[in-house]
Amino acid sequence: MENFPLIFVLLCSVLVFAHGFSRNLPILSFDEGYSQLFGDDNLIVLKDGKSVHLSLDERTGSGFVSQDLYLHGFFSASIKLPADYTAGVVVAFYMSNGDIFEKNHDEIDFEFLGNIRGKEWRIQTNIYGNESTKVGREERYGLWFDPTENFHQYSILWTNTHIIFYVDDIAIREIKRTESMGGDFPSKPMTLYATIWDASEWATNGGKYKVNYKYAPYIAEFSNFVLHGCTVDPVDLTSLKCEDTSSASSITTGISPSQRAKMESFRKKHMQYSYCYDKIRYKTPPSECVINPKEAERLKKFDPVTFGGGRGHHHARKRHRQSQAVAI
Ligand SMILES: *[C@@H]1O[C@H](CO)[C@@H](O)[C@H](O)[C@H]1NC(C)=O
C-alpha cells in the first residue's frame, strides 16, 4: 500500500491529460510520424519512443520533420520549453512546403521566442500562402502559465476554410479564409517541422539580446505527437488519403460558441501584438483585418516588434543551416 499515493497521482495526471486530449486522436511514437531533420545527437528520442529532446548548443540546433505531407488536418505536440536565460533562442513548431515549392511556398507557424532571465517566453503565430512573404501576418501573445514548468499542448487545425491555433484546449487565433486574401491562405500540401535554433539577430528585442552559450544546452522537450489529416502522395500531389475525422468533430465543425468566448478573453488579456494594428508596417491593414478600436488602443502601448527576416521560417532555417555548415 506504500505505493498508493504515487499510483493515485499518476492516475490523476492521466485523467487530466486525457482531458487535454478531448479530441480523442491517436498519439504517434516519434518513429511513426517523424524523422530527424538536422542536429546530429542534439536530437534524442527517449526510451518510450514517444518523447524527444531537441537541444541547441554552440555547435548546432536540431529539428525533426514529419515523414508525410499533409493537406489539412489537426497537428499537435506537447512541448516544454527551456528555462532561465533563453534570449535569442527560438523553438518552432510549424508547417511548410518550402522544400517542394521554392518560389511559392506556404507556411503555418507557431514560434516560441526566448527571453532574458525573469522575462517570459512569448508565442508568435503567422501564416504565409503562395510566397506572400511581403505580408507578414504575425501575432504575439504572453501565456497564462510558465511554459518551461510543464508540458502544454500546442495545436494547428487547418482546413480549406480556416486555420485555428490552440494552446491546450483554448483556441487563441482563428484565420478565416476570405476571398480577398486570394493565394495568401495556405492551400498546398505541407510537412510539419519542429526546430530549436539560434535566432540572435531578431528573436529578443529585435536582436538586442543574443544567445548566451554559457547557459547551453538549451533543451526543448516534445511529446504526444498528433498528425491527423489527409496525407498526400509526394509524387502525385493530387492523390489524397484521409483519416477518419468523424471521431474528431472539432476538425469538421471548427470553433464552438463557448470556445469563441474563451478565445476572445484570451486575446483581450494576452495578445501583445497584431499585424492588423501595426500602422508602421501597413498604412492600410490587410483586407481580412477586422479593426476593433478598443483593441487598437490597448495594443498601442506595446513596443514595436522586429520580425524574422520577413521571408518565412523555411528561409530562416535554411540560412541557419548554411551558417552552420560554414562554422563546421
Ligand atoms: C501564386 O503566385 C503565382 C505567382 O508567383 C501566381 O501566378 C498564381 O496565380 C498564384 N496562385 C494563387 C492561388 O494565387
Side-chain angles (χ1 to χ4, degrees):
M1 268 340 259
E2 232 170 57
N3 283 334
F4 175 74
L6 178 63
I7 289 167
F8 184 71
V9 167
L10 285 175
L11 196 65
C12 287
S13 53
V14 165
L15 288 176
V16 166
F17 211 56
H19 177 72
F21 275 90
S22 51
R23 284 180 193 83
N24 236 346
L25 297 172
I27 290 166
L28 304 182
S29 71
F30 179 76
D31 287 340
E32 283 171 318
Y34 286 104
S35 311
Q36 180 159 10
L37 179 66
F38 72 105
D40 307 318
D41 51 7
N42 280 13
L43 181 152
I44 295 171
V45 181
L46 302 197
K47 272 214 193 85
D48 66 359
K50 296 188 166 181
S51 315
V52 172
H53 286 185
L54 287 184
S55 61
L56 166 69
D57 57 27
E58 48 286 289
R59 289 175 309 126
T60 181
S62 51
F64 57 83
V65 57
S66 67
Q67 290 157 16
D68 283 321
L69 262 171
Y70 296 88
L71 182 69
H72 306 145
F74 185 84
F75 309 96
S76 182
S78 290
I79 306 173
K80 187 174 172 225
L81 298 168
D84 293 329
Y85 186 94
T86 53
V89 177
V90 168
V91 174
F93 180 61
Y94 65 104
M95 306 190 75
S96 173
N97 50 26
D99 292 331
I100 308 171
F101 301 99
E102 294 217 351
K103 298 254 158 62
N104 59 341
H105 91 287
D106 306 299
E107 238 181 78
I108 303 177
D109 301 329
F110 251 122
E111 289 164 317
F112 303 90
L113 312 177
N115 219 327
I116 52 176
R117 178 167 286 142
K119 288 216 170 184
E120 289 143 25
W121 282 79
R122 285 144 313 139
I123 305 189
Q124 175 166 296
T125 59
N126 192 18
I127 61 159
Y128 295 115
N130 203 30
E131 209 62 32
S132 63
T133 50
K134 288 205 179 70
V135 189
R137 291 181 160 86
E138 290 89 349
E139 285 186 356
R140 285 189 179 181
Y141 331 85
L143 290 166
W144 65 95
F145 53 81
D146 178 354
T148 70
E149 215 151 73
N150 288 302
F151 280 92
H152 290 270
Q153 191 193 352
Y154 302 91
S155 314
I156 295 167
L157 174 68
W158 174 35
T159 76
N160 191 37
T161 53
H162 54 261
I163 292 164
I164 302 173
F165 293 91
Y166 294 89
V167 176
D168 294 328
D169 271 346
I170 311 284
I172 62 162
R173 178 180 190 182
E174 180 185 36
I175 298 168
K176 282 193 195 137
R177 185 178 203 157
T178 63
E179 190 132 8
S180 61
M181 281 175 88
D184 289 13
F185 188 90
S187 57
K188 298 189 292 298
M190 294 192 269
T191 37
L192 241 106
Y193 294 87
T195 56
I196 186 167
W197 52 288
D198 181 333
S200 288
E201 321 93 82
W202 64 273
T204 308
N205 273 27
K208 194 165 148 204
Y209 301 102
K210 314 260 181 254
V211 172
N212 185 340
Y213 286 103
K214 195 172 91 185
Y215 303 105
Y218 297 98
I219 300 173
E221 303 175 44
F222 292 78
S223 84
N224 293 301
F225 301 113
V226 176
L227 294 163
H228 197 85
C230 298
T231 56
V232 177
D233 182 327
V235 178
D236 174 8
L237 292 177
T238 59
S239 170
L240 252 66
K241 227 172 72 201
C242 295
E243 290 184 65
D244 177 22
T245 52
S246 56
S247 61
S249 59
S250 63
I251 289 184
T252 44
T253 58
I255 214 162
S256 70
S258 78
Q259 272 183 323
R260 188 170 299 283
K262 282 187 193 159
M263 178 170 81
E264 295 309 327
S265 149
F266 166 84
R267 293 171 67 80
K268 230 190 232 159
K269 278 198 206 119
H270 299 289
M271 188 160 76
Q272 299 174 355
Y273 172 88
S274 163
Y275 71 107
C276 286
Y277 299 102
D278 189 338
K279 293 227 173 76
I280 296 165
R281 270 170 114 196
Y282 304 114
K283 291 222 160 59
T284 318
S287 61
E288 74 277 7
C289 289
V290 180
I291 298 300
N292 171 344
K294 267 199 192 142
E295 206 157 82
E297 191 55 37
R298 192 178 61 76
L299 291 177
K300 247 192 194 162
K301 67 172 194 272
F302 290 101
D303 292 336
V305 181
T306 309
F307 297 97
R311 292 196 60 208
H313 218 280
H314 173 66
H315 296 281
R317 180 164 53 80
K318 239 165 120 177
R319 264 206 323 273
H320 170 63
R321 292 176 74 185
Q322 274 158 4
S323 66
Q324 259 171 17
V326 170
I328 292 160

